[in-house]
Amino acid sequence: MAVSKIIKIDDISVNYIDEGEGDVILLLHGWGSNITLFDGIIKVLSPSHRVIAPDMPGFGKTAEPSVPWCVDDYVDFVMKFIDLMQLKEVSVLVHSFGGRVLFKMNARENLPFVIHKAVLIDSAGILPKKTWKQKASLRMYKIARRIMSTAPLHFLYPDAVEEMRRKRGSADYNNATPTMRATLVKVVNEDLEPLIPKLNCPTLIIWGDQDTATPIGDARSMERLIKDAGLVVCEGAGHYSFLEQPAKVHGALKVFFG
């Protein structure tokens, strides 16, 4: 297991891993995750590359931000991290939420560093289109929440709104602190599909075809939108394809990074 280090960014002590020598590969983890899940990837890539992976604020051993963040706040954080590490050229490997950060970061003008290659593993970024049933359900939930929040009903049923929220919320939402819940709401409701074609570097897309969080259709859309992209499908794997089928994923990474 790689040994972690600490670096200070603004008022946040950031836990990170820095292993190996050579061309730099930056790893950005998913929502509710942390850098320990990248142990296998770090072990495979660090003999030939310098692999760097930070716990992003609110995850792992890095404290959460003092106020709710949006994706741009996480981009600012990653760019400050890259600057403190004095990196001028990087490849970026992302999982899930890390993809959102990459797409927005890559779209910024006059980046002070070059992105050579990208790996998207079960990446987020494309906003799923709601069915009419989902839209109706959301509308009914908002009406019920507004009614139960009125003073008389809140007095009679003080826990009703929280119980409604708990039943409707995802596991990520229910398990988060109030600050990270508000952060999650900000980051998941942004559609980054228009930014995906701006990723002009060679890109490897790795996906589990049983992924329900970011469905395989998103992978095929990203392959179509990115000029120089190739897709590796992990049959039978879900949202954590790199953990479920490590041999296939590690093999693809070694070929891609040479």
Side-chain angles (χ1 to χ4, degrees):
M1 181 178 295
V3 177
S4 62
K5 305 174 182 179
I6 298 293
I7 193 171
K8 197 85 168 182
I9 297 180
D10 297 331
D11 294 326
I12 300 176
S13 293
V14 180
N15 182 64
Y16 74 101
I17 287 171
D18 186 350
E19 292 282 326
E21 297 180 357
D23 294 340
V24 176
I25 303 174
L26 178 68
L27 312 183
L28 300 178
H29 63 73
W31 186 273
S33 183
N34 59 73
I35 56 178
T36 62
L37 272 65
F38 283 140
D39 280 345
I41 288 176
I42 294 170
K43 184 177 180 180
V44 166
L45 296 179
S46 59
S48 56
H49 294 76
R50 182 183 175 193
V51 184
I52 305 175
D55 273 335
M56 289 195 279
F59 306 101
K61 295 181 181 179
T62 298
E64 66 183 40
S66 57
V67 296
W69 276 14
C70 63
V71 179
D72 279 304
D73 293 316
Y74 278 99
V75 172
D76 291 339
F77 162 80
V78 171
M79 291 184 65
K80 289 177 183 178
F81 179 80
I82 290 173
D83 180 60
L84 285 173
M85 300 300 290
Q86 299 181 335
L87 306 177
K88 297 301 180 183
E89 299 181 0
V90 298
S91 292
V92 186
L93 182 153
V94 302
H95 173 245
S96 193
F97 168 67
R100 294 182 182 275
V101 178
L102 172 60
F103 294 138
K104 294 216 77 173
M105 181 171 70
N106 177 75
R108 290 198 177 180
E109 295 183 359
N110 303 316
L111 283 179
F113 51 86
V114 176
I115 300 176
H116 279 307
K117 292 184 176 182
V119 179
L120 311 175
I121 304 179
D122 301 293
S123 173
I126 296 178
L127 192 66
K129 293 178 173 59
K130 290 184 174 63
T131 65
W132 69 269
K133 287 185 178 180
Q134 289 172 323
K135 291 178 181 178
S137 175
L138 178 60
R139 180 172 176 80
M140 292 301 296
Y141 165 72
K142 288 182 176 180
I143 292 172
R145 184 180 62 183
R146 188 161 56 246
I147 293 172
M148 296 307 296
S149 296
T150 58
L153 289 177
H154 180 69
F155 177 78
L156 293 172
Y157 307 100
D159 299 325
V161 173
E162 176 63 18
E163 181 64 17
M164 289 167 58
R165 181 206 58 74
R166 187 190 65 77
K167 288 182 178 180
R168 185 176 180 81
S170 66
D172 282 339
Y173 185 86
N174 288 329
N175 292 334
T177 64
T179 297
M180 296 308 291
R181 284 177 185 170
T183 297
L184 180 60
V185 171
K186 284 188 173 186
V187 303
V188 301
N189 288 321
E190 190 170 1
D191 187 7
L192 304 182
E193 187 169 352
L195 302 182
I196 295 175
K198 294 180 180 290
L199 196 60
N200 291 320
C201 61
T203 302
L204 173 63
I205 303 171
I206 300 175
W207 225 273
D209 67 352
Q210 300 303 307
D211 189 341
T212 56
T214 52
I216 188 67
D218 290 1
R220 304 198 187 283
S221 294
M222 291 180 189
E223 183 184 22
R224 173 178 51 82
L225 291 167
I226 300 170
K227 182 178 179 180
D228 187 5
L231 173 62
V232 173
V233 178
C234 296
E235 294 85 358
H239 191 54
Y240 288 82
S241 58
F242 69 104
L243 296 178
E244 296 175 55
Q245 297 187 11
K248 186 170 188 176
V249 173
H250 294 171
L253 292 177
K254 286 192 285 187
V255 170
F256 182 65
F257 286 116

